[in-house]
mmCIF file of all heavy atoms in Angstrom:
data_model
loop_
_atom_site.group_PDB
_atom_site.id
_atom_site.type_symbol
_atom_site.label_atom_id
_atom_site.label_comp_id
_atom_site.label_asym_id
_atom_site.label_seq_id
_atom_site.Cartn_x
_atom_site.Cartn_y
_atom_site.Cartn_z
ATOM 1 N N ASP A 1 14.044 11.785 -15.049
ATOM 2 C CA ASP A 1 13.783 10.730 -16.020
ATOM 3 C C ASP A 1 13.045 9.557 -15.383
ATOM 4 O O ASP A 1 12.187 8.926 -16.020
ATOM 5 C CB ASP A 1 15.069 10.263 -16.708
ATOM 6 C CG ASP A 1 16.283 10.269 -15.793
ATOM 7 O OD1 ASP A 1 16.118 10.480 -14.569
ATOM 8 O OD2 ASP A 1 17.397 10.068 -16.295
ATOM 9 N N GLU A 2 13.326 9.272 -14.108
ATOM 10 C CA GLU A 2 12.576 8.233 -13.403
ATOM 11 C C GLU A 2 11.133 8.667 -13.186
ATOM 12 O O GLU A 2 10.201 7.861 -13.320
ATOM 13 C CB GLU A 2 13.242 7.921 -12.062
ATOM 14 C CG GLU A 2 14.626 7.287 -12.188
ATOM 15 C CD GLU A 2 15.248 7.028 -10.831
ATOM 16 O OE1 GLU A 2 14.552 7.238 -9.809
ATOM 17 O OE2 GLU A 2 16.429 6.628 -10.791
ATOM 18 N N LEU A 3 10.952 9.946 -12.865
ATOM 19 C CA LEU A 3 9.603 10.477 -12.672
ATOM 20 C C LEU A 3 8.820 10.418 -13.975
ATOM 21 O O LEU A 3 7.642 10.037 -14.001
ATOM 22 C CB LEU A 3 9.682 11.913 -12.162
ATOM 23 C CG LEU A 3 8.365 12.624 -11.889
ATOM 24 C CD1 LEU A 3 7.561 11.887 -10.824
ATOM 25 C CD2 LEU A 3 8.613 14.061 -11.462
ATOM 26 N N ALA A 4 9.454 10.794 -15.077
ATOM 27 C CA ALA A 4 8.787 10.743 -16.383
ATOM 28 C C ALA A 4 8.356 9.327 -16.723
ATOM 29 O O ALA A 4 7.255 9.093 -17.232
ATOM 30 C CB ALA A 4 9.719 11.288 -17.463
ATOM 31 N N GLN A 5 9.198 8.357 -16.414
ATOM 32 C CA GLN A 5 8.874 6.965 -16.692
ATOM 33 C C GLN A 5 7.673 6.511 -15.863
ATOM 34 O O GLN A 5 6.830 5.741 -16.341
ATOM 35 C CB GLN A 5 10.084 6.076 -16.396
ATOM 36 C CG GLN A 5 9.897 4.597 -16.732
ATOM 37 C CD GLN A 5 9.660 4.357 -18.209
ATOM 38 O OE1 GLN A 5 10.244 5.031 -19.046
ATOM 39 N NE2 GLN A 5 8.800 3.401 -18.540
ATOM 40 N N SER A 6 7.558 7.015 -14.635
ATOM 41 C CA SER A 6 6.456 6.599 -13.761
ATOM 42 C C SER A 6 5.114 7.134 -14.245
ATOM 43 O O SER A 6 4.064 6.626 -13.850
ATOM 44 C CB SER A 6 6.714 7.078 -12.335
ATOM 45 O OG SER A 6 6.538 8.485 -12.227
ATOM 46 N N LEU A 7 5.121 8.166 -15.097
ATOM 47 C CA LEU A 7 3.875 8.747 -15.589
ATOM 48 C C LEU A 7 3.376 8.078 -16.861
ATOM 49 O O LEU A 7 2.294 8.396 -17.342
ATOM 50 C CB LEU A 7 4.065 10.246 -15.849
ATOM 51 C CG LEU A 7 4.415 11.096 -14.628
ATOM 52 C CD1 LEU A 7 4.587 12.551 -15.034
ATOM 53 C CD2 LEU A 7 3.350 10.969 -13.548
ATOM 54 N N ARG A 8 4.147 7.161 -17.413
ATOM 55 C CA ARG A 8 3.728 6.470 -18.632
ATOM 56 C C ARG A 8 2.668 5.425 -18.305
ATOM 57 O O ARG A 8 2.663 4.839 -17.218
ATOM 58 C CB ARG A 8 4.929 5.800 -19.312
ATOM 59 C CG ARG A 8 6.015 6.778 -19.740
ATOM 60 C CD ARG A 8 7.158 6.049 -20.424
ATOM 61 N NE ARG A 8 8.278 6.933 -20.683
ATOM 62 C CZ ARG A 8 8.376 7.743 -21.733
ATOM 63 N NH1 ARG A 8 7.378 7.770 -22.618
ATOM 64 N NH2 ARG A 8 9.424 8.516 -21.899
ATOM 65 N N PHE A 9 1.783 5.188 -19.261
ATOM 66 C CA PHE A 9 0.723 4.206 -19.063
ATOM 67 C C PHE A 9 1.306 2.798 -18.986
ATOM 68 O O PHE A 9 2.138 2.403 -19.812
ATOM 69 C CB PHE A 9 -0.289 4.268 -20.209
ATOM 70 C CG PHE A 9 -1.311 3.161 -20.158
ATOM 71 C CD1 PHE A 9 -2.367 3.215 -19.268
ATOM 72 C CD2 PHE A 9 -1.185 2.045 -20.991
ATOM 73 C CE1 PHE A 9 -3.297 2.199 -19.206
ATOM 74 C CE2 PHE A 9 -2.116 1.023 -20.939
ATOM 75 C CZ PHE A 9 -3.176 1.099 -20.043
ATOM 76 N N THR A 10 0.878 2.045 -17.992
ATOM 77 C CA THR A 10 1.274 0.645 -17.836
ATOM 78 C C THR A 10 0.021 -0.169 -17.573
ATOM 79 O O THR A 10 -0.728 0.131 -16.629
ATOM 80 C CB THR A 10 2.267 0.463 -16.670
ATOM 81 O OG1 THR A 10 3.421 1.274 -16.902
ATOM 82 C CG2 THR A 10 2.682 -0.992 -16.543
ATOM 83 N N ALA A 11 -0.232 -1.160 -18.386
ATOM 84 C CA ALA A 11 -1.427 -1.993 -18.236
ATOM 85 C C ALA A 11 -1.465 -2.629 -16.851
ATOM 86 O O ALA A 11 -0.460 -3.155 -16.364
ATOM 87 C CB ALA A 11 -1.457 -3.069 -19.312
ATOM 88 N N GLY A 12 -2.637 -2.559 -16.206
ATOM 89 C CA GLY A 12 -2.811 -3.164 -14.904
ATOM 90 C C GLY A 12 -2.356 -2.306 -13.741
ATOM 91 O O GLY A 12 -2.446 -2.736 -12.594
ATOM 92 N N ARG A 13 -1.862 -1.109 -14.025
ATOM 93 C CA ARG A 13 -1.405 -0.206 -12.953
ATOM 94 C C ARG A 13 -2.202 1.089 -12.993
ATOM 95 O O ARG A 13 -2.467 1.633 -14.063
ATOM 96 C CB ARG A 13 0.089 0.103 -13.133
ATOM 97 C CG ARG A 13 0.657 1.044 -12.077
ATOM 98 C CD ARG A 13 2.150 1.268 -12.300
ATOM 99 N NE ARG A 13 2.407 2.028 -13.520
ATOM 100 C CZ ARG A 13 2.494 3.352 -13.575
ATOM 101 N NH1 ARG A 13 2.315 4.074 -12.490
ATOM 102 N NH2 ARG A 13 2.771 3.956 -14.714
ATOM 103 N N ALA A 14 -2.589 1.556 -11.815
ATOM 104 C CA ALA A 14 -3.318 2.823 -11.744
ATOM 105 C C ALA A 14 -2.429 3.956 -12.241
ATOM 106 O O ALA A 14 -1.266 4.065 -11.846
ATOM 107 C CB ALA A 14 -3.765 3.089 -10.311
ATOM 108 N N THR A 15 -2.961 4.793 -13.108
ATOM 109 C CA THR A 15 -2.195 5.902 -13.661
ATOM 110 C C THR A 15 -2.227 7.081 -12.692
ATOM 111 O O THR A 15 -3.301 7.494 -12.250
ATOM 112 C CB THR A 15 -2.783 6.341 -15.016
ATOM 113 O OG1 THR A 15 -2.797 5.214 -15.894
ATOM 114 C CG2 THR A 15 -1.942 7.453 -15.632
ATOM 115 N N PRO A 16 -1.076 7.640 -12.334
ATOM 116 C CA PRO A 16 -1.060 8.783 -11.407
ATOM 117 C C PRO A 16 -1.836 9.968 -11.989
ATOM 118 O O PRO A 16 -1.869 10.173 -13.206
ATOM 119 C CB PRO A 16 0.440 9.122 -11.291
ATOM 120 C CG PRO A 16 1.155 7.878 -11.724
ATOM 121 C CD PRO A 16 0.275 7.233 -12.743
ATOM 122 N N LEU A 17 -2.460 10.768 -11.113
ATOM 123 C CA LEU A 17 -3.210 11.935 -11.570
ATOM 124 C C LEU A 17 -2.331 12.892 -12.362
ATOM 125 O O LEU A 17 -2.782 13.531 -13.321
ATOM 126 C CB LEU A 17 -3.821 12.657 -10.373
ATOM 127 C CG LEU A 17 -4.995 11.963 -9.674
ATOM 128 C CD1 LEU A 17 -5.414 12.773 -8.446
ATOM 129 C CD2 LEU A 17 -6.169 11.808 -10.618
ATOM 130 N N ALA A 18 -1.064 13.001 -11.982
ATOM 131 C CA ALA A 18 -0.170 13.939 -12.662
ATOM 132 C C ALA A 18 0.047 13.577 -14.123
ATOM 133 O O ALA A 18 0.459 14.426 -14.915
ATOM 134 C CB ALA A 18 1.170 13.984 -11.932
ATOM 135 N N ALA A 19 -0.238 12.334 -14.498
ATOM 136 C CA ALA A 19 -0.033 11.917 -15.890
ATOM 137 C C ALA A 19 -0.907 12.715 -16.851
ATOM 138 O O ALA A 19 -0.562 12.882 -18.028
ATOM 139 C CB ALA A 19 -0.321 10.423 -16.038
ATOM 140 N N ALA A 20 -2.040 13.239 -16.368
ATOM 141 C CA ALA A 20 -2.931 14.015 -17.232
ATOM 142 C C ALA A 20 -2.247 15.271 -17.752
ATOM 143 O O ALA A 20 -2.631 15.812 -18.794
ATOM 144 C CB ALA A 20 -4.194 14.388 -16.475
ATOM 145 N N TYR A 21 -1.223 15.746 -17.049
ATOM 146 C CA TYR A 21 -0.543 16.983 -17.439
ATOM 147 C C TYR A 21 0.694 16.712 -18.304
ATOM 148 O O TYR A 21 1.422 17.651 -18.641
ATOM 149 C CB TYR A 21 -0.143 17.771 -16.194
ATOM 150 C CG TYR A 21 -1.335 18.146 -15.343
ATOM 151 C CD1 TYR A 21 -1.706 17.362 -14.253
ATOM 152 C CD2 TYR A 21 -2.121 19.251 -15.660
ATOM 153 C CE1 TYR A 21 -2.812 17.685 -13.482
ATOM 154 C CE2 TYR A 21 -3.233 19.585 -14.898
ATOM 155 C CZ TYR A 21 -3.566 18.799 -13.812
ATOM 156 O OH TYR A 21 -4.672 19.118 -13.057
ATOM 157 N N ALA A 22 0.921 15.471 -18.645
ATOM 158 C CA ALA A 22 2.094 15.118 -19.447
ATOM 159 C C ALA A 22 1.780 15.014 -20.932
ATOM 160 O O ALA A 22 2.675 14.775 -21.734
ATOM 161 C CB ALA A 22 2.679 13.789 -18.948
ATOM 162 N N TYR A 23 0.518 15.195 -21.291
ATOM 163 C CA TYR A 23 0.123 15.088 -22.701
ATOM 164 C C TYR A 23 0.159 16.452 -23.375
ATOM 165 O O TYR A 23 -0.001 17.489 -22.720
ATOM 166 C CB TYR A 23 -1.286 14.495 -22.807
ATOM 167 C CG TYR A 23 -1.378 13.076 -22.307
ATOM 168 C CD1 TYR A 23 -1.930 12.798 -21.050
ATOM 169 C CD2 TYR A 23 -0.907 12.015 -23.073
ATOM 170 C CE1 TYR A 23 -2.012 11.498 -20.577
ATOM 171 C CE2 TYR A 23 -0.984 10.722 -22.607
ATOM 172 C CZ TYR A 23 -1.534 10.458 -21.365
ATOM 173 O OH TYR A 23 -1.603 9.178 -20.897
ATOM 174 N N PRO A 24 0.369 16.484 -24.692
ATOM 175 C CA PRO A 24 0.334 17.770 -25.411
ATOM 176 C C PRO A 24 -1.076 18.333 -25.445
ATOM 177 O O PRO A 24 -2.053 17.615 -25.238
ATOM 178 C CB PRO A 24 0.824 17.394 -26.812
ATOM 179 C CG PRO A 24 0.494 15.947 -26.961
ATOM 180 C CD PRO A 24 0.652 15.352 -25.589
ATOM 181 N N SER A 25 -1.164 19.627 -25.709
ATOM 182 C CA SER A 25 -2.451 20.305 -25.802
ATOM 183 C C SER A 25 -2.362 21.332 -26.928
ATOM 184 O O SER A 25 -1.280 21.580 -27.463
ATOM 185 C CB SER A 25 -2.782 20.997 -24.476
ATOM 186 O OG SER A 25 -1.891 22.081 -24.254
ATOM 187 N N PRO A 26 -3.496 21.956 -27.306
ATOM 188 C CA PRO A 26 -3.445 22.933 -28.399
ATOM 189 C C PRO A 26 -2.439 24.059 -28.183
ATOM 190 O O PRO A 26 -1.802 24.527 -29.131
ATOM 191 C CB PRO A 26 -4.880 23.468 -28.446
ATOM 192 C CG PRO A 26 -5.718 22.334 -27.934
ATOM 193 C CD PRO A 26 -4.883 21.693 -26.872
ATOM 194 N N TYR A 27 -2.271 24.506 -26.943
ATOM 195 C CA TYR A 27 -1.341 25.601 -26.676
ATOM 196 C C TYR A 27 0.052 25.116 -26.287
ATOM 197 O O TYR A 27 0.994 25.912 -26.268
ATOM 198 C CB TYR A 27 -1.898 26.508 -25.577
ATOM 199 C CG TYR A 27 -3.083 27.327 -26.007
ATOM 200 C CD1 TYR A 27 -4.332 27.149 -25.423
ATOM 201 C CD2 TYR A 27 -2.970 28.281 -27.018
ATOM 202 C CE1 TYR A 27 -5.436 27.895 -25.826
ATOM 203 C CE2 TYR A 27 -4.057 29.033 -27.427
ATOM 204 C CZ TYR A 27 -5.284 28.835 -26.828
ATOM 205 O OH TYR A 27 -6.367 29.572 -27.227
ATOM 206 N N VAL A 28 0.172 23.839 -25.952
ATOM 207 C CA VAL A 28 1.474 23.297 -25.560
ATOM 208 C C VAL A 28 1.712 22.001 -26.339
ATOM 209 O O VAL A 28 1.542 20.900 -25.797
ATOM 210 C CB VAL A 28 1.554 23.043 -24.042
ATOM 211 C CG1 VAL A 28 2.970 22.639 -23.657
ATOM 212 C CG2 VAL A 28 1.136 24.274 -23.262
ATOM 213 N N PRO A 29 2.089 22.101 -27.602
ATOM 214 C CA PRO A 29 2.379 20.902 -28.395
ATOM 215 C C PRO A 29 3.765 20.367 -28.052
ATOM 216 O O PRO A 29 4.575 21.040 -27.401
ATOM 217 C CB PRO A 29 2.332 21.429 -29.836
ATOM 218 C CG PRO A 29 2.781 22.855 -29.707
ATOM 219 C CD PRO A 29 2.238 23.346 -28.384
ATOM 220 N N ARG A 30 4.035 19.157 -28.493
ATOM 221 C CA ARG A 30 5.374 18.591 -28.347
ATOM 222 C C ARG A 30 6.205 19.054 -29.535
ATOM 223 O O ARG A 30 5.920 18.704 -30.679
ATOM 224 C CB ARG A 30 5.301 17.064 -28.300
ATOM 225 C CG ARG A 30 4.797 16.532 -26.979
ATOM 226 C CD ARG A 30 4.997 15.038 -26.889
ATOM 227 N NE ARG A 30 4.590 14.543 -25.589
ATOM 228 C CZ ARG A 30 3.833 13.472 -25.402
ATOM 229 N NH1 ARG A 30 3.415 12.777 -26.439
ATOM 230 N NH2 ARG A 30 3.511 13.077 -24.192
ATOM 231 N N LEU A 31 7.246 19.829 -29.264
ATOM 232 C CA LEU A 31 8.076 20.393 -30.316
ATOM 233 C C LEU A 31 9.540 20.052 -30.052
ATOM 234 O O LEU A 31 10.013 20.153 -28.910
ATOM 235 C CB LEU A 31 7.918 21.908 -30.383
ATOM 236 C CG LEU A 31 6.517 22.467 -30.652
ATOM 237 C CD1 LEU A 31 6.531 23.983 -30.589
ATOM 238 C CD2 LEU A 31 6.019 21.990 -32.009
ATOM 239 N N ALA A 32 10.240 19.679 -31.114
ATOM 240 C CA ALA A 32 11.659 19.370 -30.978
ATOM 241 C C ALA A 32 12.438 20.578 -30.471
ATOM 242 O O ALA A 32 13.392 20.444 -29.691
ATOM 243 C CB ALA A 32 12.213 18.895 -32.320
ATOM 244 N N ALA A 33 12.023 21.784 -30.891
ATOM 245 C CA ALA A 33 12.727 22.997 -30.471
ATOM 246 C C ALA A 33 12.620 23.210 -28.961
ATOM 247 O O ALA A 33 13.576 23.653 -28.315
ATOM 248 C CB ALA A 33 12.167 24.204 -31.214
ATOM 249 N N LEU A 34 11.455 22.891 -28.387
ATOM 250 C CA LEU A 34 11.292 23.010 -26.937
ATOM 251 C C LEU A 34 12.151 21.979 -26.211
ATOM 252 O O LEU A 34 12.773 22.268 -25.182
ATOM 253 C CB LEU A 34 9.821 22.825 -26.561
ATOM 254 C CG LEU A 34 8.854 23.937 -26.968
ATOM 255 C CD1 LEU A 34 7.431 23.535 -26.619
ATOM 256 C CD2 LEU A 34 9.216 25.251 -26.309
ATOM 257 N N ARG A 35 12.186 20.776 -26.752
ATOM 258 C CA ARG A 35 13.000 19.712 -26.159
ATOM 259 C C ARG A 35 14.476 20.105 -26.166
ATOM 260 O O ARG A 35 15.203 19.908 -25.185
ATOM 261 C CB ARG A 35 12.760 18.413 -26.925
ATOM 262 C CG ARG A 35 13.183 17.156 -26.187
ATOM 263 C CD ARG A 35 12.520 15.919 -26.752
ATOM 264 N NE ARG A 35 12.602 15.832 -28.199
ATOM 265 C CZ ARG A 35 11.547 15.872 -29.026
ATOM 266 N NH1 ARG A 35 10.329 15.992 -28.534
ATOM 267 N NH2 ARG A 35 11.709 15.778 -30.327
ATOM 268 N N ASP A 36 14.934 20.665 -27.290
ATOM 269 C CA ASP A 36 16.331 21.073 -27.399
ATOM 270 C C ASP A 36 16.659 22.207 -26.436
ATOM 271 O O ASP A 36 17.758 22.259 -25.870
ATOM 272 C CB ASP A 36 16.639 21.501 -28.838
ATOM 273 C CG ASP A 36 16.563 20.341 -29.820
ATOM 274 O OD1 ASP A 36 16.636 19.189 -29.373
ATOM 275 O OD2 ASP A 36 16.428 20.603 -31.030
ATOM 276 N N PHE A 37 15.699 23.121 -26.260
ATOM 277 C CA PHE A 37 15.912 24.241 -25.342
ATOM 278 C C PHE A 37 16.049 23.745 -23.900
ATOM 279 O O PHE A 37 16.887 24.235 -23.134
ATOM 280 C CB PHE A 37 14.758 25.234 -25.454
ATOM 281 C CG PHE A 37 14.866 26.386 -24.500
ATOM 282 C CD1 PHE A 37 15.753 27.427 -24.732
ATOM 283 C CD2 PHE A 37 14.071 26.434 -23.362
ATOM 284 C CE1 PHE A 37 15.857 28.491 -23.842
ATOM 285 C CE2 PHE A 37 14.159 27.487 -22.474
ATOM 286 C CZ PHE A 37 15.057 28.527 -22.712
ATOM 287 N N ALA A 38 15.242 22.763 -23.522
ATOM 288 C CA ALA A 38 15.244 22.285 -22.133
ATOM 289 C C ALA A 38 16.370 21.309 -21.831
ATOM 290 O O ALA A 38 16.788 21.189 -20.669
ATOM 291 C CB ALA A 38 13.907 21.612 -21.824
ATOM 292 N N ARG A 39 16.893 20.634 -22.849
ATOM 293 C CA ARG A 39 17.826 19.524 -22.622
ATOM 294 C C ARG A 39 19.028 19.884 -21.757
ATOM 295 O O ARG A 39 19.428 19.077 -20.898
ATOM 296 C CB ARG A 39 18.283 18.966 -23.974
ATOM 297 C CG ARG A 39 19.183 17.733 -23.830
ATOM 298 C CD ARG A 39 19.468 17.075 -25.160
ATOM 299 N NE ARG A 39 18.297 16.356 -25.654
ATOM 300 C CZ ARG A 39 17.656 16.631 -26.785
ATOM 301 N NH1 ARG A 39 18.067 17.638 -27.530
ATOM 302 N NH2 ARG A 39 16.636 15.925 -27.176
ATOM 303 N N PRO A 40 19.660 21.063 -21.902
ATOM 304 C CA PRO A 40 20.821 21.359 -21.051
ATOM 305 C C PRO A 40 20.516 21.333 -19.554
ATOM 306 O O PRO A 40 21.410 21.058 -18.745
ATOM 307 C CB PRO A 40 21.244 22.771 -21.507
ATOM 308 C CG PRO A 40 20.749 22.878 -22.912
ATOM 309 C CD PRO A 40 19.453 22.115 -22.919
ATOM 310 N N SER A 41 19.282 21.608 -19.191
ATOM 311 C CA SER A 41 18.921 21.615 -17.769
ATOM 312 C C SER A 41 18.552 20.225 -17.264
ATOM 313 O O SER A 41 18.594 19.980 -16.055
ATOM 314 C CB SER A 41 17.741 22.572 -17.525
ATOM 315 O OG SER A 41 18.086 23.898 -17.867
#
């Protein structure tokens, strides 16, 4: 959760390269079902 927070955009701060992989895409959308599946881990 700390790592996820560090990838969020913050004005005046350089965005880490890994942040580009945190956005949804046509084949990997943000879905509640995926979130629910991953949450136990």
Side-chain angles (χ1 to χ4, degrees):
D1 35 9
E2 294 179 6
L3 181 60
Q5 184 63 37
S6 72
L7 298 179
R8 299 181 187 277
F9 173 77
T10 302
R13 179 178 68 91
T15 303
L17 288 176
Y21 300 96
Y23 295 103
S25 68
Y27 289 116
V28 187
R30 285 191 176 134
L31 301 176
L34 290 175
R35 198 161 48 244
D36 293 341
F37 177 76
R39 184 172 286 118
S41 298

